[in-house]
Short mmCIF file of all heavy atoms in Angstrom, two decimals:
data_model
loop_
_atom_site.label_atom_id
_atom_site.label_comp_id
_atom_site.label_asym_id
_atom_site.label_seq_id
_atom_site.Cartn_x
_atom_site.Cartn_y
_atom_site.Cartn_z
N THR A 1347 40.74 26.82 -32.06
CA THR A 1347 41.77 26.25 -32.91
C THR A 1347 42.99 27.16 -32.90
O THR A 1347 42.93 28.37 -33.08
CB THR A 1347 41.27 26.06 -34.35
OG1 THR A 1347 40.14 25.25 -34.32
CG2 THR A 1347 42.35 25.47 -35.23
N PHE A 1348 44.16 26.56 -32.69
CA PHE A 1348 45.42 27.27 -32.75
C PHE A 1348 46.15 26.98 -34.07
O PHE A 1348 46.70 25.91 -34.26
CB PHE A 1348 46.30 26.86 -31.57
CG PHE A 1348 45.67 27.08 -30.22
CD1 PHE A 1348 45.04 26.08 -29.59
CD2 PHE A 1348 45.74 28.36 -29.62
CE1 PHE A 1348 44.46 26.30 -28.33
CE2 PHE A 1348 45.18 28.57 -28.38
CZ PHE A 1348 44.50 27.53 -27.74
N ASP A 1349 46.05 27.95 -34.99
CA ASP A 1349 46.75 27.76 -36.29
C ASP A 1349 48.19 28.19 -36.15
O ASP A 1349 48.66 28.58 -35.08
CB ASP A 1349 46.02 28.61 -37.33
CG ASP A 1349 44.62 28.08 -37.59
OD1 ASP A 1349 44.42 26.87 -37.55
OD2 ASP A 1349 43.70 28.91 -37.77
N GLY A 1350 48.91 28.14 -37.24
CA GLY A 1350 50.33 28.55 -37.22
C GLY A 1350 50.48 30.03 -36.86
O GLY A 1350 49.59 30.85 -37.09
N GLY A 1351 51.56 30.37 -36.20
CA GLY A 1351 51.80 31.73 -35.77
C GLY A 1351 51.21 32.02 -34.43
O GLY A 1351 51.16 31.14 -33.57
N ILE A 1352 50.68 33.22 -34.27
CA ILE A 1352 50.13 33.66 -32.99
C ILE A 1352 48.64 33.69 -33.06
O ILE A 1352 48.02 34.20 -33.99
CB ILE A 1352 50.63 35.09 -32.63
CG1 ILE A 1352 52.20 35.06 -32.47
CG2 ILE A 1352 50.00 35.59 -31.36
CD1 ILE A 1352 52.78 36.44 -32.24
N THR A 1353 47.98 33.10 -32.04
CA THR A 1353 46.52 33.09 -31.92
C THR A 1353 46.16 34.07 -30.82
O THR A 1353 46.62 33.97 -29.69
CB THR A 1353 45.99 31.72 -31.61
OG1 THR A 1353 46.35 30.80 -32.66
CG2 THR A 1353 44.47 31.73 -31.49
N ALA A 1354 45.30 35.05 -31.11
CA ALA A 1354 44.87 36.06 -30.15
C ALA A 1354 43.38 35.91 -29.89
O ALA A 1354 42.63 35.69 -30.81
CB ALA A 1354 45.21 37.46 -30.67
N ILE A 1355 43.01 36.07 -28.65
CA ILE A 1355 41.63 36.07 -28.28
C ILE A 1355 41.28 37.46 -27.71
O ILE A 1355 41.88 37.89 -26.73
CB ILE A 1355 41.31 35.00 -27.19
CG1 ILE A 1355 41.66 33.61 -27.73
CG2 ILE A 1355 39.85 35.05 -26.79
CD1 ILE A 1355 41.51 32.51 -26.72
N VAL A 1356 40.42 38.15 -28.39
CA VAL A 1356 40.11 39.58 -28.01
C VAL A 1356 38.65 39.68 -27.63
O VAL A 1356 37.84 38.88 -28.07
CB VAL A 1356 40.44 40.54 -29.15
CG1 VAL A 1356 41.94 40.52 -29.45
CG2 VAL A 1356 39.67 40.21 -30.41
N GLY A 1357 38.32 40.64 -26.83
CA GLY A 1357 36.96 40.86 -26.43
C GLY A 1357 36.88 41.80 -25.23
O GLY A 1357 37.91 42.06 -24.58
N PRO A 1358 35.71 42.24 -24.86
CA PRO A 1358 35.57 43.18 -23.74
C PRO A 1358 35.83 42.48 -22.39
O PRO A 1358 35.83 41.23 -22.32
CB PRO A 1358 34.12 43.65 -23.87
CG PRO A 1358 33.42 42.52 -24.56
CD PRO A 1358 34.42 41.97 -25.51
N ASN A 1359 35.94 43.28 -21.39
CA ASN A 1359 36.13 42.71 -20.03
C ASN A 1359 34.91 41.85 -19.64
O ASN A 1359 33.78 42.24 -19.89
CB ASN A 1359 36.29 43.83 -19.02
CG ASN A 1359 37.62 44.55 -19.19
OD1 ASN A 1359 38.56 44.00 -19.75
ND2 ASN A 1359 37.70 45.82 -18.72
N GLY A 1360 35.19 40.71 -19.08
CA GLY A 1360 34.13 39.84 -18.59
C GLY A 1360 33.58 38.83 -19.62
O GLY A 1360 32.62 38.13 -19.36
N CYS A 1361 34.20 38.83 -20.81
CA CYS A 1361 33.67 37.93 -21.85
C CYS A 1361 34.22 36.52 -21.73
O CYS A 1361 33.80 35.61 -22.43
CB CYS A 1361 33.96 38.50 -23.25
SG CYS A 1361 35.68 38.47 -23.70
N GLY A 1362 35.22 36.33 -20.88
CA GLY A 1362 35.72 34.99 -20.64
C GLY A 1362 37.10 34.69 -21.20
O GLY A 1362 37.49 33.53 -21.35
N LYS A 1363 37.83 35.75 -21.62
CA LYS A 1363 39.17 35.53 -22.18
C LYS A 1363 40.09 34.79 -21.21
O LYS A 1363 40.75 33.80 -21.58
CB LYS A 1363 39.82 36.85 -22.58
CG LYS A 1363 39.02 37.65 -23.63
CD LYS A 1363 39.79 38.88 -24.08
CE LYS A 1363 40.13 39.83 -22.95
NZ LYS A 1363 38.94 40.44 -22.33
N SER A 1364 40.08 35.23 -19.97
CA SER A 1364 40.95 34.59 -19.01
C SER A 1364 40.52 33.14 -18.69
O SER A 1364 41.36 32.31 -18.26
CB SER A 1364 40.99 35.41 -17.68
OG SER A 1364 41.51 36.69 -17.92
N ASN A 1365 39.22 32.84 -18.92
CA ASN A 1365 38.74 31.50 -18.66
C ASN A 1365 39.40 30.48 -19.61
O ASN A 1365 39.54 29.33 -19.29
CB ASN A 1365 37.25 31.44 -18.80
CG ASN A 1365 36.55 32.17 -17.65
OD1 ASN A 1365 37.18 32.44 -16.61
ND2 ASN A 1365 35.28 32.49 -17.86
N VAL A 1366 39.77 30.95 -20.84
CA VAL A 1366 40.46 30.09 -21.79
C VAL A 1366 41.82 29.68 -21.23
O VAL A 1366 42.20 28.51 -21.26
CB VAL A 1366 40.58 30.76 -23.15
CG1 VAL A 1366 41.41 29.89 -24.09
CG2 VAL A 1366 39.21 31.08 -23.72
N ALA A 1367 42.57 30.64 -20.70
CA ALA A 1367 43.85 30.37 -20.09
C ALA A 1367 43.68 29.48 -18.86
O ALA A 1367 44.49 28.56 -18.66
CB ALA A 1367 44.57 31.66 -19.73
N ASP A 1368 42.62 29.75 -18.06
CA ASP A 1368 42.39 28.90 -16.92
C ASP A 1368 42.07 27.45 -17.34
O ASP A 1368 42.50 26.50 -16.67
CB ASP A 1368 41.18 29.43 -16.11
CG ASP A 1368 41.53 30.74 -15.41
OD1 ASP A 1368 42.72 31.03 -15.24
OD2 ASP A 1368 40.59 31.43 -14.96
N ALA A 1369 41.36 27.30 -18.46
CA ALA A 1369 41.04 25.96 -18.93
C ALA A 1369 42.30 25.17 -19.30
O ALA A 1369 42.41 23.99 -19.02
CB ALA A 1369 40.11 26.02 -20.14
N ILE A 1370 43.26 25.88 -19.96
CA ILE A 1370 44.52 25.24 -20.34
C ILE A 1370 45.28 24.84 -19.07
O ILE A 1370 45.78 23.70 -18.94
CB ILE A 1370 45.37 26.18 -21.24
CG1 ILE A 1370 44.67 26.40 -22.54
CG2 ILE A 1370 46.74 25.57 -21.44
CD1 ILE A 1370 45.34 27.40 -23.44
N ARG A 1371 45.37 25.73 -18.14
CA ARG A 1371 46.07 25.44 -16.88
C ARG A 1371 45.38 24.28 -16.11
O ARG A 1371 46.05 23.39 -15.56
CB ARG A 1371 46.11 26.70 -15.98
CG ARG A 1371 46.83 26.52 -14.67
CD ARG A 1371 46.76 27.80 -13.88
NE ARG A 1371 47.72 28.79 -14.41
CZ ARG A 1371 48.95 28.86 -14.05
NH1 ARG A 1371 49.46 28.00 -13.22
NH2 ARG A 1371 49.73 29.77 -14.57
N TRP A 1372 44.06 24.26 -16.15
CA TRP A 1372 43.28 23.24 -15.42
C TRP A 1372 43.52 21.85 -16.05
O TRP A 1372 43.71 20.88 -15.33
CB TRP A 1372 41.80 23.60 -15.45
CG TRP A 1372 40.92 22.73 -14.64
CD1 TRP A 1372 40.87 22.62 -13.28
CD2 TRP A 1372 39.97 21.73 -15.13
NE1 TRP A 1372 39.92 21.68 -12.91
CE2 TRP A 1372 39.38 21.14 -14.02
CE3 TRP A 1372 39.58 21.37 -16.44
CZ2 TRP A 1372 38.39 20.14 -14.16
CZ3 TRP A 1372 38.61 20.40 -16.55
CH2 TRP A 1372 38.02 19.81 -15.42
N VAL A 1373 43.39 21.75 -17.39
CA VAL A 1373 43.54 20.45 -18.05
C VAL A 1373 44.95 19.89 -17.92
O VAL A 1373 45.16 18.67 -17.97
CB VAL A 1373 43.13 20.52 -19.49
CG1 VAL A 1373 44.17 21.23 -20.35
CG2 VAL A 1373 42.83 19.11 -20.07
#
């Protein structure tokens, strides 16, 4: 969910953060 303001996704390397951006680009 993207609420008002800035939404940040944090986590260690390999947890899938970049996959979220890939999903947006893909759709």
